[in-house]
Amino acid sequence: MIKHQSRFRRSLSVEILEDRAIPATFGIPWADPSRLSLSFVPDGTPIAGHASALFKALDAQMPRATWQQAVVNAFRTWSVHVNMDISVVRDTGQPSGVAGF
């Protein structure tokens, strides 16, 4: 008797992804879901029990204006497809997850 064995046999696995909840469905709902403000969290800002090091990490890679413009461009590219206006605002340094203006 000849046994057929596949060289391509792999076991399936499931990858756990991050939560995909949108901001309007939890916490403080958006007052105007067609508008979104974007800010760059200063270093030291509390985020989920840690301190932000965004500027330190990205400034070490490229000039600040370059990485900030890349982030803004990415959000603007996305916003065209979801019919949303995005504006950049100054960050207040409040802990992440706190409602802003």
Side-chain angles (χ1 to χ4, degrees), residues 38-79:
L38 164 69
S39 64
F40 296 99
V41 178
D43 288 355
T45 301
I47 300 175
H50 302 283
S52 169
L54 176 72
F55 284 82
K56 180 181 177 184
L58 294 178
D59 284 351
Q61 302 296 316
M62 64 192 75
R64 184 172 295 172
T66 302
W67 66 259
Q68 285 184 343
Q69 190 60 52
V71 170
V72 170
N73 289 344
F75 271 91
R76 287 190 175 145
T77 298
W78 167 76
S79 72

Side-chain angles (χ1 to χ4, degrees), residues 16-52:
I16 305 293
L17 300 175
E18 70 276 3
D19 184 17
R20 300 292 179 144
I22 57 174
T25 63
F26 66 91
I28 302 167
W30 282 340
D32 182 358
S34 67
R35 299 188 51 78
L36 176 69
S37 62
L38 164 69
S39 64
F40 296 99
V41 178
D43 288 355
T45 301
I47 300 175
H50 302 283
S52 169

Side-chain angles (χ1 to χ4, degrees), residues 75-97:
F75 271 91
R76 287 190 175 145
T77 298
W78 167 76
S79 72
V80 169
H81 299 286
V82 295
N83 195 26
M84 183 178 287
D85 291 327
I86 295 181
S87 60
V88 179
V89 297
R90 185 170 181 241
D91 197 276
T92 64
Q94 291 181 318
S96 180

